[in-house]
């Protein structure tokens, strides 16, 4: 056991004295030491219940013969961080979470780990850590929030942001906004649509690192506590069998995750996180393959913000395994892969039936024959841009319009809410990429303002930043190379015609290569917006969005 380095032998007597100071008994130190990484805090709604989940995991570990030991991981609430400087600190925490978990796990020589995350960056951050550490690990999240109810309809956080846009357009009263404010987020848990947190928790099941229901069982259900106990017990089996994350997170497992991503219509942020996790697992996941997978993968789900169903509905319909079972009917999954259940994918999904064809479309009757995410390329995005195709209205799948150019999110919001953006426009927000932001802010406020003002079916938005999973419409993010390194998005000028063709996966600006070269020759890098602290260090190391915004030493 790895923990023998701190619990066994005469040389470890000083170590044992410190365990004595913590109150551990000889019997506990004779057992495997299981680290439980808790993202609990009192500022993220998705994390306020994690103390209950952690206690259940501890019980499961103890019942199965291990000694559970809890240590923390940080987490940012993207909703609270949205639309101000705080959003610069969201994506960047993914690497802090990964690095700090590595430090804690190796410094204290844990034999295995149970990860207890829930929201946007700590799920991928901990998956990155699991891949990097490669000691037996299992995930159990805090679960999704129940949908809210406003005026007899189910609602979620995305409708709250859009309500603010509707108010700015004079389409909603202050009293109406207050009613949304008080009702759209009714319980603890990760926000109730197929946003980034729920996308990543579902993909944790798909990639094989979580038990059935990890992505969909609502946070407030007692079944979530039982799931946590089972995860605590299961980690002891994984330890005994020495089943490690890189045994599970193989190249084929990542292809499975991409396939399920397309079927569910997950957040575009998954196109940042899956390559970053793969990188830590020693797998190269080139996003060029995303369109190949999308071309043969039917989109089966339209959860909010793409449609009127929510995570609780997906759970009742059979959850992620039911979606995977539908996909397996077309032979779209690798099913012989080992998972954190100790069984193969095929064994996991056997008998997991689709209980609601209105929530999970049968594979014979999909929303579309192609997947929910598209990767676009062209002279505006030579490396790539990403769009949540399943959340784009039909009339915006092909769109041409004049560029309305803004060098930061705040300027764009002011123009949108000031009525300066009109039908047909293409809003371009640049210098918000991983390096230029720095931190690659989410553009939920601009997309929600566009939708709330009734422009969602006539205005597109393009950025080298990214989008919340709560965004909908023709919102194309991760444009790479980003403006800060001189990508073509930095060369776009007000009024340039931009052409978007999502079915053909293209994104172009109507200027000649000669004109592009002339503009490139005149372009000058901008002074960094932030020169001290973690963000400055991050900006110096981060790569472009098309590579997952991973950190590399210069």
């Amino acid at each position: 056991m790895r923990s023998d380095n701190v619990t066994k032998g005469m040389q470890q007597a000083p170590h044992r004295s410190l365990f004595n100071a913590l109150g551990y008994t000889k019997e506990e130190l004779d057992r495997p030491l299981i680290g439980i990484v808790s993202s609990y805090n009192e500022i993220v709604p998705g994390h306020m219940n994690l103390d209950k989940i952690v206690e259940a995991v501890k019980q499961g570990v103890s019942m199965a013969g291990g000694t559970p030991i809890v240590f923390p991981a940080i987490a940012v609430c993207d909703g609270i961080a949205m639309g101000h400087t705080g959003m610069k600190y969201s994506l960047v925490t993914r690497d802090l979470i990964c690095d700090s978990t590595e430090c804690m796990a190796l410094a204290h020589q844990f034999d295995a780990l149970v990860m207890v995350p829930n929201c946007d960056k700590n799920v991928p951050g901990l998956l990155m850590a699991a891949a990097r550490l490669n000691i037996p690990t299992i995930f159990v999240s805090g679960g999704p929030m129940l949908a809210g109810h406003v005026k007899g309809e189910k609602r979620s956080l995305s409708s709250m942001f859009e309500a603010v846009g509707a108010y700015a357009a004079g389409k909603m009263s202050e009293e109406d906004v207050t009613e949304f404010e008080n009702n759209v987020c009714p319980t603890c848990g990760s926000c109730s649509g197929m946003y980034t947190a729920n996308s990543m928790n579902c993909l944790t099941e798909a990639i094989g690192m979580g038990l059935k229901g990890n992505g969909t069982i609502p946070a407030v259900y007692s079944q979530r506590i039982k799931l946590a106990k089972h995860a605590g017990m299961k980690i002891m089996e994984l330890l005994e069998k020495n089943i490690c994350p890189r045994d599970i997170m193989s190249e084929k497992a990542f292809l499975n995750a991409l396939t399920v991503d397309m079927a569910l219509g997950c957040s575009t942020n998954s196109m940042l996180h899956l390559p970053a996790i793969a990188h830590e697992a020693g797998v190269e996941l080139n996003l060029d393959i995303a369109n190949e997978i999308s071309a043969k993968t039917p989109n089966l789900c339209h959860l909010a913000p793409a449609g009127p169903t929510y995570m609780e509905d997906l759970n009742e319909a059979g959850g992620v395994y039911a979606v995977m079972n539908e996909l397996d009917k077309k032979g779209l999954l690798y099913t012989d892969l080992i998972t954190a259940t100790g069984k193969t994918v095929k064994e996991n999904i056997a008998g997991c039936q689709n209980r609601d064809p209105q929530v999970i479309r049968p594979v014979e009757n999909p929303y579309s024959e192609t997947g929910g995410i598209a990767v676009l390329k062209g002279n505006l995005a030579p490396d790539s841009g990403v769009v949540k195709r399943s959340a784009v209205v039909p009339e915006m799948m092909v769109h041409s319009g004049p560029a309305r150019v803004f060098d930061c999110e705040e300027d764009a919001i002011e123009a949108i809410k000031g009525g300066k953006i009109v039908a047909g426009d293409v809003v371009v927000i640049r210098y918000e990429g991983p390096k230029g932001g720095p931190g690659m802010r989410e553009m939920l406020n601009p997309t929600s303002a566009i939708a709330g003002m009734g422009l969602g079916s006539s205005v597109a938005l393009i950025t080298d930043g990214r989008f919340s999973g709560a965004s909908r419409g023709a919102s194309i993010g991760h444009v790479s190379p980003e403006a800060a390194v001189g990508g073509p998005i930095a060369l776009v000028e007000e009024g340039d015609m931009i052409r978007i063709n999502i079915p053909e996966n293209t994104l172009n600006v109507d200027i000649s290569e000669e004109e592009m070269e002339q503009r490139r020759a005149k372009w000058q890098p901008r002074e960094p917006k932030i020169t001290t602290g973690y963000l400055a260090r991050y900006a110096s190391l981060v790569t472009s969005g098309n590579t997952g915004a991973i950190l590399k030493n210069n």
Side-chain angles (χ1 to χ4, degrees):
M1 286 292 174
R2 184 177 286 100
S3 61
D4 289 354
N5 291 325
V6 293
T7 60
K8 301 290 190 298
M10 182 56 65
Q11 289 298 317
Q12 282 66 41
H15 306 71
R16 290 194 298 274
S17 72
L18 294 169
F19 279 104
N20 288 334
L22 290 164
Y24 287 102
T25 65
K26 181 181 184 302
E27 290 80 4
E28 287 173 300
L29 297 184
D30 284 340
R31 295 177 169 190
L33 302 187
I34 310 300
I36 303 175
V37 188
S38 171
S39 296
Y40 169 79
N41 62 47
E42 296 182 344
I43 190 63
V44 184
H47 295 189
M48 64 176 287
N49 66 320
L50 293 190
D51 54 341
K52 310 288 190 303
I53 304 298
V54 166
E55 285 304 314
V57 171
K58 289 173 68 176
Q59 290 179 47
V61 169
S62 295
M63 283 190 288
T67 297
I69 302 175
V70 180
F71 65 88
I74 64 169
V76 164
C77 176
D78 276 23
I80 294 174
M82 193 69 65
H84 55 86
T85 301
M87 181 46 68
K88 294 179 184 290
Y89 287 90
S90 172
L91 179 62
V92 303
T93 63
R94 189 183 68 178
D95 298 276
L96 279 176
I97 291 161
C98 177
D99 292 348
S100 60
T101 301
E102 174 195 357
C103 293
M104 289 294 288
L106 294 183
H108 302 104
Q109 294 292 284
F110 290 108
D111 296 304
L113 298 170
V114 182
M115 307 294 200
V116 188
N118 207 26
C119 288
D120 293 35
K121 306 310 166 304
N122 66 322
V123 179
L126 290 177
L127 282 166
M128 288 165 65
R132 183 186 296 178
L133 289 162
N134 202 35
I135 62 176
T137 302
I138 195 168
F139 278 67
V140 56
S141 78
M145 185 184 290
L146 293 178
H149 291 82
V150 180
K151 300 186 189 304
E153 294 184 15
K154 283 187 177 182
R155 298 288 190 173
S156 61
L157 183 65
S158 53
S159 24
M160 180 72 254
F161 278 90
E162 290 177 15
V164 175
Y167 174 77
K171 297 182 178 182
M172 191 175 284
S173 68
E174 186 173 346
E175 290 73 21
D176 289 332
V177 175
T178 300
E179 184 177 0
F180 272 78
E181 181 181 333
N182 291 331
N183 291 286
V184 297
C185 296
T187 71
C188 63
S190 48
C191 296
S192 55
M194 188 54 80
Y195 310 148
T196 306
N198 292 326
S199 295
M200 293 310 302
N201 280 321
C202 287
L203 295 182
T204 299
E205 281 189 65
I207 208 169
M209 289 297 292
L211 301 180
K212 178 185 178 183
N214 179 65
T216 60
I217 298 170
V220 294
Y221 283 14
S222 298
Q223 191 181 356
R224 175 66 54 180
I225 300 296
K226 293 162 69 173
L227 180 73
K229 290 178 182 176
H230 283 131
M233 290 184 270
K234 184 62 67 173
I235 191 60
M236 299 307 296
E237 178 186 334
L238 296 177
L239 177 61
E240 181 183 358
K241 295 179 178 177
N242 194 33
I243 298 174
C244 295
R246 292 194 186 190
D247 300 322
I248 297 168
M249 290 193 281
S250 64
E251 181 178 1
K252 290 180 178 179
F254 281 101
L255 297 181
N256 278 354
L258 274 173
T259 301
V260 175
D261 189 330
M262 297 298 173
L264 287 172
C266 289
S267 164
T268 51
N269 280 314
S270 62
M271 296 294 103
L272 279 176
H273 299 322
L274 288 175
I277 299 161
H279 175 73
E280 294 292 350
V283 173
E284 183 179 351
L285 191 64
N286 190 323
L287 284 188
D288 288 344
I289 201 170
N291 286 338
E292 295 177 32
I293 291 175
S294 181
K296 61 184 180 181
T297 305
N299 178 225
L300 305 181
C301 299
H302 267 193
L303 283 84
T309 53
Y310 295 82
M311 294 305 297
E312 63 205 63
D313 303 312
L314 179 59
N315 186 63
E316 294 303 317
V320 176
Y321 279 12
V323 174
M324 294 175 74
N325 205 28
E326 288 287 349
L327 295 171
D328 191 43
K329 293 175 183 177
K330 289 189 71 173
L332 295 174
L333 297 174
Y334 296 98
T335 58
D336 59 344
L337 310 180
I338 194 66
T339 71
T341 66
K343 300 177 181 178
T344 64
V345 171
K346 192 163 196 67
E347 290 173 309
N348 287 343
I349 65 177
C352 295
Q353 297 304 311
N354 179 359
R355 297 193 292 264
D356 190 340
Q358 300 304 311
V359 177
I360 304 172
R361 288 277 188 94
V363 75
E364 303 84 11
N365 181 36
Y367 282 102
S368 69
E369 294 291 345
T370 53
I373 290 178
V375 175
L376 312 184
K377 288 191 175 185
N379 70 348
L380 187 51
D383 291 339
S384 66
V386 178
V387 64
K388 187 171 183 176
R389 174 165 45 196
S390 58
V392 180
V393 294
E395 55 265 41
M396 290 298 290
M397 296 296 281
V398 177
H399 178 76
S400 297
R404 304 299 308 279
V405 182
F406 303 94
D407 287 350
C408 67
E409 177 190 9
E410 289 82 358
D411 290 350
I413 293 171
E414 183 180 349
I416 295 165
K417 292 185 175 179
K420 296 178 182 178
I421 303 301
V422 299
D425 284 347
V426 178
V427 176
V428 177
I429 306 177
R430 61 193 183 189
Y431 293 100
E432 290 285 7
K435 190 178 292 289
M440 206 177 187
R441 288 195 289 182
E442 287 183 345
M443 302 293 139
L444 178 56
N445 276 351
T447 58
S448 299
I450 287 169
M453 296 185 77
L455 297 170
S457 61
S458 60
V459 169
L461 196 156
I462 297 172
T463 182
D464 53 5
R466 59 194 178 92
F467 293 107
S468 164
S471 293
R472 61 188 176 99
S475 304
I476 301 166
H478 313 184
V479 170
S480 303
E482 63 173 291
V485 297
I489 192 172
L491 310 179
V492 175
E493 295 180 359
E494 188 81 7
D496 286 346
M497 288 297 295
I498 292 178
R499 301 193 183 279
I500 301 163
N501 191 317
I502 295 172
E504 293 186 3
N505 303 315
T506 60
L507 177 62
N508 289 290
V509 56
D510 273 356
I511 59 174
S512 67
E513 184 55 36
E514 291 76 16
E515 173 66 17
M516 188 80 83
E517 286 302 321
Q518 288 175 16
R519 294 183 187 183
R520 186 173 286 115
K522 296 176 183 176
W523 179 82
Q524 293 293 324
R526 299 196 170 195
E527 289 296 319
K529 295 177 183 177
I530 295 174
T531 57
T532 60
Y534 179 60
L535 284 181
R537 193 158 63 250
Y538 180 89
S540 71
L541 299 175
V542 71
T543 63
S544 192
N546 67 300
T547 60
I550 60 173
L551 302 186
K552 287 188 175 180
N553 293 326
N554 290 331

